[in-house]
Amino acid sequence: MAAIAVSAAGVFWLLASPVSSVTQTREFTVQPGWGGGRIASELQRAGLIRWAPVMIVIANYTDTGDSLKAGTYALSPSMSTREIVRILAAGEALSTDIVVTIPEGMNVWEIDDLLASQRLIVPGSFARTYSANEGMLFPDTYRFDKSLVDNAGEYANARVIGSVLRNAFDAKARGYTNVQIVIASMLEKEAKSAEDMALVAGIVIERQKLGMPLQIDATVAYGWCLARWLPISNNRNCDVTQAPIATEIKIEGPYNTYTRTGLPKGPISNPGLKALDAAAHPKASPYLYYLSTRDGSDIIYSKTLSEHLVNRRKYLGL
């Protein structure tokens, strides 16, 4: 009898052993509502376990038969039945979240386009809901539940996502002033490194003190977009890179830093912490002018207008 028992145990553990030595995983989905018997049968059919009844015995023995969770799992034939039961009972499913990275310096229209490309929102819904929050939508990497896609026809998605970005800003950048946010939003368009951002911030502050116009093309482009976008009732977003700067710098407006002195009416992008820190800690220098080389790899600073004009001819051919 003992020999028979040992033999039966050996057969049981053989049937519970891995199907093969292949370690490559494949996705296996446990649908909501499936019971242990259905899960075991589907696993056997998929070639991931040897025999469904053995899995049921193991699940019952480990008191996990009613705890196997729905989800999509990465399983391989090299896993034992006991290991697969443990994974399903622990709910170690693959994440179905949609990961979205919002880069520093994106404006509300660009964020809208990015979210729409991931099918998280109806195109235009985010921009229209959160245009008044420009500058306070924190750029970062976010995870959003895939179930949001199922509701992509509703403005509710834009509100849910927008609230996450606003809360992130409040949590990470609460201490910055409105003036610093506006300056930081311009720095995102004007410089790349922390050092250059601090220098440009210093120039912005000094030109304001002297009553000099800032003459920043990016603010003009934003104003052009805003003027074109507001009257439109459909979901088209505006592309600031298409702004006719040479024409627009001559037209008076709240974002025209050529015709007006001081800062633009509001932020022109959503800055990250590097730009915000530079705006809060501008670096004093003898410079009043700067330009970016054509490839954007460097910023050339000048102390006087004549020096700046020489640099424009040298680096830009203007």
Side-chain angles (χ1 to χ4, degrees):
M1 291 295 292
I4 294 174
V6 170
S7 177
V11 171
F12 179 87
W13 291 114
L14 174 63
L15 291 173
S17 65
V19 173
S20 75
S21 60
V22 176
T23 58
Q24 184 175 359
T25 60
R26 66 182 77 156
E27 291 189 1
F28 178 82
T29 300
V30 176
Q31 299 291 350
W34 281 8
R38 174 70 183 276
I39 295 171
S41 296
E42 295 294 338
L43 283 166
Q44 180 180 333
R45 185 175 291 110
L48 290 166
I49 63 173
R50 290 181 181 273
W51 198 32
V54 169
M55 176 176 167
I56 295 171
V57 171
I58 292 174
N60 290 337
Y61 178 77
T62 56
D63 201 25
T64 56
D66 296 327
S67 303
L68 305 180
K69 299 175 177 62
T72 298
Y73 297 84
L75 305 176
S76 81
S78 65
M79 294 176 177
S80 68
T81 301
R82 180 183 287 271
E83 176 65 6
I84 290 175
V85 168
R86 186 199 66 77
I87 290 171
L88 269 58
E92 296 176 2
L94 297 171
S95 173
T96 58
D97 290 350
I98 297 175
V99 180
V100 179
T101 298
I102 299 174
E104 291 88 348
M106 269 195 167
N107 62 43
V108 70
W109 303 302
E110 291 164 334
I111 295 175
D112 188 291
D113 287 338
L114 177 62
L115 295 175
S117 73
Q118 297 287 327
R119 295 182 58 243
L120 283 165
I121 63 165
V122 172
S125 62
F126 183 88
R128 294 197 171 280
T129 305
Y130 284 94
S131 60
N133 295 109
E134 189 80 270
M136 294 179 286
L137 302 167
F138 194 73
D140 206 344
T141 297
Y142 296 91
R143 306 183 75 93
F144 298 111
D145 194 300
K146 195 173 182 179
S147 64
L148 283 173
V149 174
D150 297 333
N151 299 318
E154 302 175 7
Y155 266 68
N157 285 4
R159 296 189 185 96
V160 168
I161 294 171
S163 67
V164 171
L165 271 60
R166 280 289 289 114
N167 290 339
F169 183 90
D170 290 341
K172 299 179 181 181
R174 182 188 297 274
Y176 295 99
T177 67
N178 289 336
V179 167
Q180 290 166 352
I181 293 170
V182 172
I183 292 175
S185 75
M186 296 188 295
L187 297 180
E188 290 287 6
K189 302 298 185 182
E190 297 295 289
K192 294 180 179 178
S193 71
E195 181 180 359
D196 280 330
M197 284 183 172
L199 277 170
V200 173
I203 292 173
V204 168
I205 297 298
E206 188 61 25
R207 287 177 75 103
Q208 286 186 91
K209 288 180 181 178
L210 296 173
M212 298 174 63
L214 301 180
Q215 297 181 318
I216 294 177
D217 290 356
T219 69
V220 178
Y222 187 88
W224 175 79
C225 261
L226 195 62
R228 288 169 56 86
W229 177 74
L230 282 177
I232 297 176
S233 59
N234 60 30
N235 291 327
R236 287 180 294 170
N237 287 323
C238 188
D239 182 356
V240 292
T241 66
Q242 300 303 307
I245 300 298
T247 301
E248 287 299 308
I249 60 175
K250 302 172 185 177
I251 302 173
E252 167 64 10
Y255 288 85
N256 192 337
T257 51
Y258 281 81
T259 61
R260 295 187 178 192
T261 58
L263 298 175
K265 182 180 178 180
I268 64 169
S269 76
N270 293 281
L273 291 177
K274 183 170 66 175
L276 287 164
D277 185 66
H281 302 93
K283 185 175 181 179
S285 73
Y287 305 119
L288 285 174
Y289 303 87
Y290 65 92
L291 59 84
S292 294
T293 53
R294 286 196 179 277
D295 61 3
S297 62
D298 202 6
I299 294 182
I300 310 300
Y301 297 96
S302 305
K303 298 176 183 178
T304 65
L305 177 58
S306 59
E307 186 179 331
H308 179 62
L309 293 175
V310 169
N311 284 333
R312 280 172 60 88
R313 287 192 295 271
K314 179 178 179 180
Y315 293 98
L316 303 179
L318 300 176

